[in-house]
Amino acid sequence: MTDINTASVASSLPSMKIYDWYNGPYPARVRIALAEKGLLSQVEFIPVNLWKGEHKKPEFLAINYSGTLPVLALNDGTLIAECTAITQYLDVLDDNPVLTGLTPVEKGVIHMMTKRAEIEFLDAVSVYFHHATAGLGPEVELYQNAEWGEKMREKAIRGMHYFDGVLRSQPYVAGNTFSMADIAVTGGMIFSALVNLAVPDECTALKAWYSNIQRRPSYQQWQALVEAGRPVFNP
């Protein structure tokens, strides 16, 4: 629930646009961050259909050279891609950076663990999806290396074990509070579910952590958008 102070800050912010796809694992990271900050209703979501390869078309590549989602577009023409960069921007709008850290140590640890979540888990699942499964289909997946994809599947499972170990000694990925690092691992869990990559039974701490994450209002707001099948937010 957004409190009065947060709501007043949000209402004074300039409108933002985000190019994404409503159930994409990477877009989920930014949507969850938006929900955590009480900013979902301040954003116009512009759908870019991944399954039709719209993110690889010249029109979108002019917006983001990398051809990836999501992308934040500000009223002054500034374009910000990459989930961590977008989350960093959103988190400091109200001078209360709860997702990216308040102290230098917190900031450093959160960014370290976010990067590990990407390299060791989320990005590995992505490579597995694009190379060792049908991916987004033959019109989008112009090159595939199944062997490499399977290697990344193995890496993703090792990543699950790593974060299970981390979460056996602390409640959240970067320490004692929920942060951008938790959102990144959440993205990995979402992507894993989409590609039917099961979390090993022995990763009990990771499973328990994810059950707690799924009860957070921000996750439930994201899930409601996915279930509605539309890339807009109706508070």
Side-chain angles (χ1 to χ4, degrees):
M1 182 67 67
T2 303
D3 61 29
I4 295 176
N5 290 335
T6 302
S8 63
V9 170
S11 64
S12 67
L13 295 172
S15 60
M16 298 174 281
K17 295 180 180 179
I18 290 182
Y19 296 85
D20 75 355
W21 187 240
Y22 72 99
N23 68 345
Y26 289 87
R29 294 171 60 187
V30 169
R31 290 188 173 217
I32 291 171
L34 285 163
E36 288 284 338
K37 300 296 291 186
L39 294 172
L40 271 173
S41 61
Q42 302 298 310
V43 177
E44 175 188 355
F45 292 99
I46 302 174
V48 180
N49 194 321
L50 294 169
W51 297 97
K52 293 182 178 179
E54 291 179 355
H55 58 305
K56 301 300 183 182
K57 302 293 185 183
E59 297 83 359
F60 183 74
L61 293 176
I63 296 170
N64 182 16
Y65 171 83
S66 298
T68 58
L69 299 175
V71 176
L72 170 66
L74 304 180
N75 282 343
D76 65 0
T78 300
L79 297 169
I80 305 175
E82 307 301 335
C83 295
T84 52
I86 296 171
T87 302
Q88 182 74 59
Y89 171 83
L90 297 172
D91 199 31
V92 299
L93 287 176
D94 59 358
D95 294 322
N96 184 32
V98 293
L99 298 178
T100 55
L102 293 168
T103 69
V105 171
E106 288 176 352
K107 291 177 186 293
V109 172
I110 289 170
H111 278 271
M112 175 185 72
M113 296 305 289
T114 299
K115 191 65 175 178
R116 287 183 178 177
E118 293 174 337
I119 293 175
E120 304 298 334
F121 186 19
L122 175 56
D123 291 351
V125 178
S126 179
V127 174
Y128 165 68
F129 170 71
H130 288 294
H131 285 272
T133 77
L136 294 171
E139 294 185 5
V140 180
E141 310 292 2
L142 301 181
Y143 168 77
Q144 290 185 299
N145 184 326
E147 182 179 2
W148 179 240
E150 288 297 333
K151 287 293 184 182
M152 290 300 100
R153 179 184 182 278
E154 295 172 6
K155 182 174 183 176
I157 293 174
R158 290 197 301 272
M160 292 178 185
H161 281 282
Y162 167 72
F163 285 106
D164 179 71
V166 169
L167 292 163
R168 287 180 183 274
S169 61
Q170 59 192 41
Y172 295 102
V173 173
N176 293 322
T177 59
F178 180 86
S179 73
M180 176 171 65
D182 294 280
I183 298 177
V185 176
T186 297
M189 298 293 281
I190 290 169
F191 212 156
S192 295
L194 288 174
V195 300
N196 297 314
L197 181 58
V199 177
D201 291 339
E202 58 268 29
C203 292
T204 55
L206 178 62
K207 289 184 175 183
W209 165 88
Y210 193 45
S211 292
N212 289 332
I213 295 298
Q214 290 174 305
R215 288 192 287 269
R216 292 182 75 87
S218 59
Y219 184 98
Q220 294 174 358
Q221 286 176 298
W222 165 78
Q223 192 171 51
L225 294 179
V226 173
E227 292 173 352
R230 60 183 189 275
V232 295
F233 178 69
N234 294 314

